[in-house]
Amino acid sequence: MYAKTPDSPADYIALHGTHSSLVLELHADEAPLWRYWGPRLPAGALPAAPLRAGRPLPSFMLDFDQPLTVLPTFGVGWFGQSALLAHRAGTAFAQAFTACTFDWIEPGRAVVLHLADDEAQVRADITLRLDADSDVLVARTALTNLGTTPLDVQWLAALTLPLPGDCATVRSYAGQHLHEFMLQTDPLSRSLWRRENRRGRTSHDCFPGAVVCAPDAGADSGAVYGAHLAWSGNHQQTIEWLHDGQYQWQLGEWLAPGEGWLEPGRTLETPEVVASFSNAGWNGLAANFHAELRARLDWPGGRMRPRPVHLNTWEGFYFDVHPEPVKELASAAADLGIERFVLDDGWFHGRHHDRAALGDWWPDETKFPNGLGDLVAHVTDLGMEFGLWFEPEMINPDSDLHRAHPDWCLLLAGRPMLTARNQLVLDIARPEVADYLFEKISGLLGAHAIRYIKWDHNRDLTTAGLPDGRAGYRAQVLAFYALLARLRAAHPDVEIESCSGGGGRIDFGVLRHAHRVWASDCIDAVSRTSIQRGFLQFFPPEIMGAHVGTAPAHTTGRSQAMAFRAAVALPGHLGVELDVRALGAAAKSELAAWIALYKRLRGRLHAGRVWLGEGQDGLLWQAHGDAGDLLLFVYRREPSTHRYTPPLRLAMLDAAAQYRVTEIRPDGLPDASHRAPLLDAIGSADGAAFSGAWLAHAGLPVPRGHAETAWIVRLQREDAQ
């Protein structure tokens, strides 16, 4: 036994971005103490004294002060949420790191902290990297069992972050199928704030990230702190008030019982946490996250090419796909200017409805007696890329694969096999299952000019047991990543879309391997305005699948004009999801004009920053580009409640500049076919000149307009034209 002595000598580590810094206080005999995370500090700005020197002990406290560390532990004096919970067969349940060293990966930017607890016989290695350009902190923790007996880890936070005590609210996202990214705003207090997901995938209803706001924070100003767990499975995040008036924020993987079991010498590695601070409000934070994701996306050829206009067959055909109608649709799509044609569900052996055939990944002999080659050639001869839908992790009980290998499912002995959408989940952590899926998918990719996969995942995980009876949630996610990596290595020119009943698997983890995500199965344009705004808080527009659907929308029954549907989809990765053969001549011409407009604008839409805002009278707006050249989208979802629509103040503009404001219109369409003229009262066809200061503080005039209408303008600094 020993008594904890006063502080050993203190050292400090500081990481600096462009607009943010973090500072840790290091002692050789304990885990580093959090001293700071927030606005950029000058180089050399460090604490004047160790933390405990300025914190007199209150009454009825332990005789040794224990502030927040990078990895607080249970049982030895820390009474808040612990970043580690572990034991050895019910004993050795307490940990306390008694040694700390570090290695610089990049001085001032990236470091690895090495923490050891000789008594508990564990080592933790925490990697911290603060990007100089994006101000994004990427961190993860690896815990190694140095003992001679197994260690059962119940919880290991990927990172513990400090938050100042004046933080007031937390913005997070709930949702469900067809209604993702529902903004939730909760006050922070002395009560615990926690979100947990146990569905086995990222989920629709519990997004693994949040934004914490100072009292004065808004869209473009004020201090905000954001964090996101880059993981496609179960997860947990907690914000807890501490007795020194600050908060701690922990994010990590939610481990099912036994999933953290570490044999001697084994290491448990957490997912990454992607976190950032901004003094420029939610839009400033979004810009940081967008920059980080753009830097990590693994594009074929090493860089993003212009996002091709995309047609998906699902709402056009559902399961009723046959070569000749599909070819007719492809020809009609090419005539409209579509550049990628994706054959969705219904193409494979025995797939005539959603009750059978998942797992039998070869062309259906009754629909495609000669295979897919003729269809693929038809599409590529039209100048389009060909894409194909798969749901590899799932299996129907009514399938040849299940009849041959019923033991290949995730299941628990003695428990019923719970189906969802008539399907079970394959245990892809089994090498023979992963090999089967790789061979089937890779065989098709190798035999045909397929350049795109829509990878779907349409149910939550239940009875997720491995063959030895252990929980398989974590193993499933890691096997999914490994299978994607294997396919990418074998077919580096193929792009992959992550879909999971729409937006059920959208996170920075899957986007290590994928290039596009399907934000929602709901294509109703009114619903999409809110879904897409939530999405854009963390993810850039070029990876957001956004389609022009039918009217009425299949998921809501509501109808909107083509112009509104197209204007809502335009800023994302534009697609079409309807049977364009059924459109009349005027509708085809209008859709073709919007597609042409997207091609003209996509270089600016998918580069630079994105700003989101809300005007008075129910207007929503978003801007893409930079302060010298912006594309502005203004959406009216509901009827006006004002006699005169208030102008929109655009705070991001350069107040010292002059701007030329011109309306953006699809070529060749009469004005009345899609919008009310925005600038008719103040300018000419060449636009109108405005002071940047006027637009920032007084605002841009906006027409009254009807419900479910949109307007697009370009604001270009005149000295930049």
Side-chain angles (χ1 to χ4, degrees):
M1 298 179 63
Y2 70 95
K4 182 69 177 175
T5 59
D7 288 84
S8 59
D11 195 2
Y12 299 97
I13 285 179
L15 302 183
H16 298 292
T18 302
H19 301 291
S20 68
S21 299
L22 68 84
V23 178
L24 301 173
E25 179 179 321
L26 271 65
H27 298 271
D29 58 355
E30 65 179 327
L33 310 181
W34 269 112
R35 295 303 305 270
Y36 183 81
W37 179 42
R40 177 67 153 88
L41 298 173
L46 295 172
L51 178 59
R52 293 184 180 95
R55 287 185 17 145
L57 286 175
S59 60
F60 287 87
M61 284 290 292
L62 298 173
D63 293 331
F64 184 76
D65 186 17
Q66 299 200 35
L68 179 68
T69 73
V70 295
L71 210 163
T73 54
F74 173 74
V76 290
W78 175 257
F79 298 108
Q81 169 83 15
S82 298
L84 171 63
L85 292 173
H87 62 93
R88 298 183 190 273
T91 66
F93 60 85
Q95 298 83 36
F97 293 104
T98 54
C100 173
T101 61
F102 67 92
D103 292 311
W104 285 109
I105 301 171
E106 182 183 352
R109 303 292 188 201
V111 67
V112 182
L113 307 170
H114 306 290
L115 313 181
D117 181 350
D118 293 337
E119 179 65 25
Q121 297 182 300
V122 296
R123 185 185 75 242
D125 300 294
I126 303 173
T127 304
L128 303 169
R129 180 184 295 274
L130 182 58
D131 184 74
D133 297 322
S134 67
D135 284 296
V136 167
L137 172 67
V138 178
R140 71 190 323 157
T141 299
L143 184 75
T144 302
N145 179 9
L146 302 177
T148 58
T149 59
L151 181 73
D152 190 356
V153 181
Q154 299 170 275
W155 163 245
L156 177 62
L159 184 63
T160 299
L161 288 163
L163 295 169
D166 63 353
C167 288
T169 56
V170 55
R171 292 161 60 94
S172 64
Y173 293 94
Q176 61 188 39
H177 180 233
L178 305 178
H179 200 167
E180 293 85 344
F181 289 100
M182 295 169 56
L183 178 63
Q184 311 293 303
T185 301
D186 299 311
L188 286 177
S189 68
R190 294 194 181 199
S191 298
L192 194 71
W193 183 90
R194 176 174 291 178
R195 298 294 305 275
E196 290 187 358
N197 165 57
R198 309 174 196 86
R199 294 182 178 273
R201 54 177 168 167
T202 319
S203 86
H204 299 79
D205 58 325
C206 187
F207 180 74
V211 176
V212 178
C213 306
D216 62 343
D220 296 295
S221 63
V224 292
Y225 302 78
H228 166 67
L229 188 71
W231 181 244
S232 306
N234 298 330
H235 50 82
Q236 174 185 308
Q237 56 174 323
T238 300
I239 300 175
E240 179 183 41
W241 185 84
L242 304 176
H243 286 275
D244 58 4
Q246 66 177 331
Y247 294 91
Q248 67 155 330
W249 188 2
Q250 291 183 14
L251 301 96
E253 179 187 358
W254 186 90
L255 296 169
E259 286 192 312
W261 185 268
L262 287 183
E263 295 290 344
R266 299 299 297 273
T267 297
L268 176 65
E269 189 167 321
T270 71
E272 293 176 325
V273 164
V274 182
S276 189
F277 166 82
S278 176
N279 243 337
W282 311 317
N283 285 327
L285 188 68
N288 295 351
F289 283 126
H290 293 185
E292 164 62 24
L293 187 60
R294 284 168 169 165
R296 70 167 56 198
L297 284 167
D298 183 18
W299 293 105
R303 60 180 298 178
M304 184 186 79
R305 60 193 175 95
R307 300 290 76 222
V309 183
H310 184 111
L311 184 139
N312 186 278
T313 65
W314 176 240
E315 288 197 5
F317 290 126
Y318 290 103
F319 299 102
D320 191 21
V321 295
H322 298 276
E324 291 311 311
V326 174
K327 285 182 183 179
E328 292 171 4
L329 180 60
S331 296
D335 289 342
L336 296 176
I338 287 166
E339 299 161 307
R340 176 185 285 156
F341 185 87
V342 181
L343 181 62
D344 207 286
D345 201 348
W347 61 268
F348 50 97
H349 173 69
R351 187 66 162 177
H352 307 297
H353 43 68
D354 67 359
R355 300 183 299 279
L358 284 174
D360 298 345
W361 299 112
W362 58 91
D364 182 74
E365 298 84 351
T366 63
K367 296 179 179 179
F368 299 95
N370 299 315
L372 294 177
D374 185 50
L375 174 60
V376 175
H378 178 79
V379 170
T380 56
D381 287 347
L382 290 167
M384 297 186 293
E385 295 178 359
F386 185 83
L388 196 59
W389 179 93
F390 292 91
E391 193 174 2
E393 297 148 274
M394 302 300 159
I395 184 172
N396 287 120
D398 183 5
S399 66
D400 288 356
L401 181 63
H402 189 264
R403 285 184 281 272
H405 299 286
D407 58 324
W408 279 12
C409 297
L410 289 172
L411 51 85
L412 291 174
R415 300 295 183 188
M417 298 174 68
L418 301 175
T419 56
R421 300 184 77 253
N422 306 294
Q423 59 197 52
L424 300 168
V425 183
L426 281 172
D427 179 4
I428 61 172
R430 295 174 63 144
E432 62 270 30
V433 179
D435 287 346
Y436 169 84
L437 293 172
F438 176 81
E439 289 163 6
K440 291 299 183 185
I441 299 170
S442 184
L444 286 164
L445 297 179
H448 305 294
I450 300 172
R451 294 293 175 262
Y452 189 84
I453 291 175
K454 180 181 178 183
W455 187 297
D456 217 336
H457 179 287
N458 282 321
R459 63 156 291 176
D460 298 326
L461 272 57
T462 58
T463 61
L466 300 174
D468 61 3
R470 293 180 298 117
Y473 299 91
R474 184 169 211 269
Q476 189 78 0
V477 177
L478 294 174
F480 163 62
Y481 290 162
L483 182 54
L484 288 180
R486 187 177 176 187
L487 285 164
R488 288 291 321 284
H491 306 279
D493 293 335
V494 173
E495 291 187 16
I496 297 175
E497 173 184 348
S498 172
C499 177
S500 185
R505 187 152 63 184
I506 301 175
D507 59 79
F508 275 52
V510 73
L511 285 164
R512 286 287 191 189
H513 310 279
H515 311 92
R516 185 188 204 251
V517 290
W518 186 222
S520 179
D521 280 345
C522 180
I523 317 178
D524 178 296
V526 172
S527 296
R528 272 291 185 132
T529 55
S530 59
I531 292 169
Q532 294 178 180
R533 291 171 77 80
F535 177 98
L536 290 169
Q537 179 63 72
F538 290 89
F539 307 98
E542 61 267 25
I543 66 163
M544 179 179 71
H547 292 184
V548 179
T550 59
H554 289 190
T555 55
T556 66
R558 292 189 299 205
S559 292
Q560 297 102 27
M562 175 76 75
F564 188 69
R565 287 177 277 151
V568 170
L570 202 71
H573 181 184
L574 181 67
V576 174
E577 191 146 345
L578 53 84
D579 186 350
V580 298
R581 300 173 304 165
L583 297 177
K588 286 182 180 178
S589 295
E590 184 175 0
L591 180 56
W594 281 101
I595 289 171
L597 179 62
Y598 168 79
K599 292 178 181 179
R600 178 155 56 95
L601 300 180
R602 60 187 166 188
R604 178 150 294 277
L605 290 169
H606 299 158
R609 286 189 54 175
V610 178
W611 288 266
L612 303 177
E614 297 184 16
Q616 298 180 60
D617 194 26
L619 291 180
L620 301 177
W621 61 266
Q622 64 190 69
H624 296 241
D626 57 57
D629 193 353
L630 279 175
L631 292 171
L632 175 70
F633 292 75
V634 183
Y635 300 111
R636 173 171 295 289
R637 297 188 297 183
E638 302 291 337
S640 173
T641 62
H642 292 50
R643 292 182 183 274
Y644 304 98
T645 301
L648 294 179
R649 292 190 291 270
L650 305 173
M652 80 290 290
L653 296 179
D654 183 352
Q658 286 290 118
Y659 284 85
R660 174 65 54 178
V661 181
T662 53
E663 189 161 13
I664 303 295
R665 311 177 182 184
D667 291 336
L669 297 182
D671 291 346
S673 70
H674 72 284
R675 32 152 298 287
L678 181 59
L679 298 173
D680 284 358
I682 55 174
S684 66
D686 296 327
F690 283 91
S691 156
W694 183 267
L695 293 173
H697 300 296
L700 176 72
V702 178
R704 180 175 173 81
H706 293 123
E708 299 176 2
T709 52
W711 307 277
I712 309 170
V713 296
R714 184 176 186 180
L715 299 98
Q716 193 172 18
R717 198 167 57 197
E718 292 195 324
D719 60 4
Q721 294 183 38

